[in-house]
Structure formats: structure tokens, C-alpha cells
Amino acid sequence: MAIPSLQDGIDKAGSPIGLLWQPNAEPWTPEVVEREYVGWRQEQAAWHEGVALLNLSHHMFDLWIEGPDATRVLAEYGANNFEKFAIGQAKQYVPVTRDGKIVTDGILLRRAENKYLLSGVPAAQHWVQYHAEKGGYDVAFETDASSAFRPGGGDPKLFRYQIQGPLALELIENVFGGPLPETKFFHSTPVTLHGRSFEALRHGMAGQAGYEFIGPWEHAAYVHEAFLKAGEPLGLVQVGALAYTTPSVESGWIPSPVPGIYVDPELAEYRAWLPLFGIEGKRPLNGSYFSEDIEDFYVSPYELGYGRLIHFGHDFHGRDALLKAKDEPRRTKVTLVFDADDVRRVVGGGEDPGFVLTYARHRVETSAGLVGATMQTASIDPVGTVLAQTLIDSAHAEPGTEVTVVWGEHPGLGTDPEADLGFPRIRATVQPSPFDRHARTEYRRG
């Protein structure tokens, strides 16, 4: 029996929205790691006040891209600058459709002159691999799925551990016997721990200093234990799956925007190539903001804050559309700070609602009507309330602007998108994105 494709799923459901709209969808959390180690509140506090260890080894897909045409295919289907891309450097890879809509980003690490590692949700990986195969590029691929999807189970090829927080550098010095070489943000440096070689990627989350350590799985247990042992005197806290999902809300990264691939007739062959049971067919949509047109959920890289990554000095798929959209009006990425009393009233029934996490597209309104939609919403205990990464009309994006969030689940097809369904409202205030000042101003300085 043939494996059903994304196009098969769309055809059976009647439309992309018919396929993807799932009211009250359970939010994604990383697989394998414990949901909580010491409690999500303490785990969030650790990277704000102390030091935290996050295990990223299991939930990302990895795609190795190698061959004489590796740089060419990545550059021709991504908007990034490949003229300035050092070996050991990482970039937020930005592939777009011919209409200039994001396919979904990924972390692209250059491992050698003609070798790259693209990591994250696999939509960007699918895009590159499909166009490389269709275009006859001289390039080879090797894939390692996340632990939930790895055929036959087994261990990942790589371990990934993040050390984050104000005490992160002290912990790292304790583990390695001294400070690591000075490394630019999103650049890596080779390290060795008792004869075991791997890499340290200068990284940060929620505005905190730290590194992401990446290496062969055979060293995973040893490296993990070394961090735990050295971290005991510093109060090191392991971060579980719940808390792990939340730093993106503070640091301004919007995970898994809807790929702009569902209706373009020129992408029919691509949709037939994609499996139905993958990220493009199974990442649900839900919330109080509903439209029967999937294109209303598409986003541009400009809206996601990726304008600085777009390099018009080379020809690439979608270049003309991005150039045209460069100065056009568009939504702005902001952080909404929810009124804490309203959160308790609406979400918690008058009590502390506990851990809140949703990727729902909730309507954001003012007296003028609909002005935006949330993209990810989560409890941030050190802030004392719930925050939401949100795309909002630029006219309402000024910090301090007061808005309301419509908290509810539209049932989907068959109900008017503009129907008043009696959903409660939560007051919120617009603040910048990233919400954290350090993440907003210091990450890439120098």
C-alpha cells in the first residue's frame, strides 16, 4: 500500500484547513526527557537565577547535507548570506516559497567547506532535499529523525546539551578546567573533555549566557554526568519538557509557523512528495482565530524578525517576492503580557491556572476589531504571568498598547469565522519582542 501524501490528506479532508484544524489540540512538548524534574517553576527560575541543563538530544530532526553542490542548493533555496558563512558558524536558515512566505526555519551549521547540518523541525529539511533531488544537484543527504519518529527506535546520532543561566560560564569553567576560547554568538569552537571531542556552540536562551554542546552519542552519558557532577555545588537544575518549551516566548522565536505550501499549484508535486504523517500534515491549528483560507495563516520572514538575515546579493527562490514585500505594510512581532488577574479568572477559574502552554492562534482585538493573532502562549513564572508571542498590525505594535485576547476554541468549518461564540477576554499589554532586554539588545553585539 502506498504511503499517503500530504496532498492525499488535503484531498480527503476537502481543504488544508479541514486537514489541520483541531480544536483543543494538545500542545507539543519534547519527547523522552521527563516532563518535570523539580517542577516547571523552579526549572524556569534556574536559567534566570542560577544554572540549568537542558537535554535537546531527542526532539529535533537532523539532516546532513554534503557534496560539491551543498552550498549552491542551500543558497538557491534560502534567503541567507552564504558569502559570509564560516566553518563552525550557525545561522537561522530562512527558506521561502516563490510568494515570499516562510517554509519554516531551522538551525544550519556549517561543518566543512561542502558539508552542513540542518536541525530542527523537518519542514525546511524536506524543502531542501526535495529541490535538490528534483534539480539534480550533486549532493547527498543523511537523516536522523527525532526519537519519537526514528525508524526502529535506537539512540540519536548526536547529543545536545544546553548549559544556560547566570552561573553557566562558571559551571563550564569547572567542567573544562578553565574558560572556553572566546566565541562569537552562534559560532562554535571544538572542545575536549578527558579525551572526548565535541563542539561548543555559543548560544543563549531567554537572554541568558550559555553554550550548546554537540557531539557523538557515544559520549552522551559521560558528558551529561560530568555536567551534573560539576553543577551540584552551583545548584544545577535539569529542565524538563514543560519548562523547555517556554524560553522561546521570552527570546522572541516563534516555533513552527505554518509552511506556505498548501495551495500553490506549482507545489502540487511537492505536496505529493511529502508524507501525510509528517510535520506538514500533522501539526495542528486551533484557537479563537479561524479562517477557512490557509493562506491567512502564512507568515513572511519579515514578520518573524528575520529581515536582517535576508541577503539580496544572490539569486534565490522567492527573492523577487521578498524584495517587493520589503517596504510593504506588515504585521509586527510583539510580546503580549497578559493581565494576571484575568489569567486566573479565565484560565484558572479564579485560581492559579498552573502551567499554561498553547500554540493556538488566539484573536487579538482592540476597539478597532481584529488586529492580530497569538503564535505561542506560555506561563513565565519569573515574570509572574502569561506571555504570548504575537503578530499584530503595526499600527497597534507600540509598547504599552492595551489589547484583549479572545480565549477560546473556534469549532472550525461550518461556523462563521466572525461568529460571536461568547469566548471570554483577557486584557494584555503590548511589549517588545524579544521580551528579555538582553536577548533583544546584546546577543549579537560584537
Side-chain angles (χ1 to χ4, degrees), residues 182-185 437-446:
E182 187 169 339
T183 308
K184 292 181 179 180
F185 181 79
R437 185 203 60 80
H438 185 92
R440 193 166 63 245
T441 62
E442 301 291 332
Y443 268 166
R444 291 173 175 81
R445 180 169 291 183

Side-chain angles (χ1 to χ4, degrees), residues 302 322-330:
Y302 294 116
L322 287 184
L323 195 58
K324 181 180 179 181
K326 185 176 181 181
D327 299 316
E328 291 180 350
R330 55 181 177 267

Side-chain angles (χ1 to χ4, degrees), residues 27 85 252 305:
F85 201 156

Side-chain angles (χ1 to χ4, degrees), residues 38-318:
V38 296
W40 66 269
R41 298 178 191 273
Q42 297 94 318
E43 290 163 18
Q44 286 185 339
W47 69 70
H48 285 88
E49 302 169 3
V51 61
L53 168 62
L54 301 94
N55 185 351
L56 284 62
S57 306
H58 294 283
H59 72 271
M60 290 191 286
F61 283 67
D62 286 322
L63 179 69
W64 285 264
I65 307 164
E66 185 173 12
D69 289 340
T71 300
R72 185 164 73 91
V73 70
L74 287 163
E76 290 181 0
Y77 287 93
N80 304 78
N81 185 351
F82 282 81
E83 296 174 5
K84 297 180 179 179
F85 201 156
I87 294 172
Q89 181 181 0
K91 293 192 177 188
Q92 201 89 20
Y93 186 58
V94 184
V96 297
T97 66
R98 67 180 179 129
D99 297 321
K101 303 304 182 184
I102 195 79
V103 174
T104 287
D105 63 352
I107 301 300
L108 183 65
L109 175 63
R110 192 168 196 170
R111 306 298 298 269
E113 183 66 26
N114 294 311
K115 186 175 184 178
Y116 297 83
L117 174 61
L118 181 57
S119 304
V121 297
Q125 301 170 7
H126 293 159
W127 183 257
V128 172
Q129 188 168 359
Y130 169 79
H131 286 291
E133 293 176 359
K134 182 180 178 182
Y137 292 80
D138 187 359
V139 63
F141 297 95
E142 182 181 357
T143 301
D144 186 29
S146 71
S147 291
F149 294 92
R150 188 173 298 109
D155 296 324
K157 293 182 181 295
L158 298 175
F159 70 78
R160 282 188 176 85
Y161 302 131
Q162 277 192 3
I163 302 294
Q164 303 287 342
L167 301 180
L169 300 185
E170 182 177 349
L171 170 59
I172 290 166
E173 288 188 21
N174 292 345
V175 169
F176 291 96
L180 299 184
E182 187 169 339
T183 308
K184 292 181 179 180
F185 181 79
F186 246 36
H187 286 66
S188 62
T189 187
V191 294
T192 301
L193 182 63
H194 304 146
R196 296 162 177 84
S197 297
F198 47 102
E199 292 177 285
L201 176 67
R202 178 70 184 87
H203 199 5
M205 58 175 234
Q208 302 303 327
Y211 283 86
E212 184 173 312
F213 295 93
I214 307 169
W217 184 256
E218 62 187 283
H219 303 325
Y222 187 91
V223 173
H224 191 263
E225 182 61 30
F227 282 129
L228 290 180
K229 184 176 181 181
E232 284 183 11
L234 299 176
L236 174 70
V237 171
Q238 293 189 74
V239 173
L242 296 184
Y244 172 78
T245 62
T246 65
S248 55
V249 177
E250 290 185 81
S251 57
W253 176 65
I254 292 178
S256 300
V258 173
I261 63 167
Y262 292 92
V263 294
D264 185 349
E266 290 193 10
L267 292 178
E269 183 180 327
Y270 181 54
R271 294 190 294 271
W273 180 85
L274 287 169
L276 172 61
F277 298 102
I279 187 73
E280 296 88 349
K282 291 301 177 183
R283 181 60 62 90
L285 282 171
N286 65 295
S288 61
Y289 172 74
F290 174 75
S291 171
E292 296 182 2
D293 185 353
I294 189 66
E295 293 183 273
D296 287 339
F297 294 93
Y298 292 176
V299 299
S300 82
Y302 294 116
E303 293 175 315
L304 296 174
Y306 295 160
R308 59 182 173 75
L309 301 178
I310 298 171
H311 176 62
F312 289 110
H314 72 295
D315 191 21
F316 60 90
H317 191 77

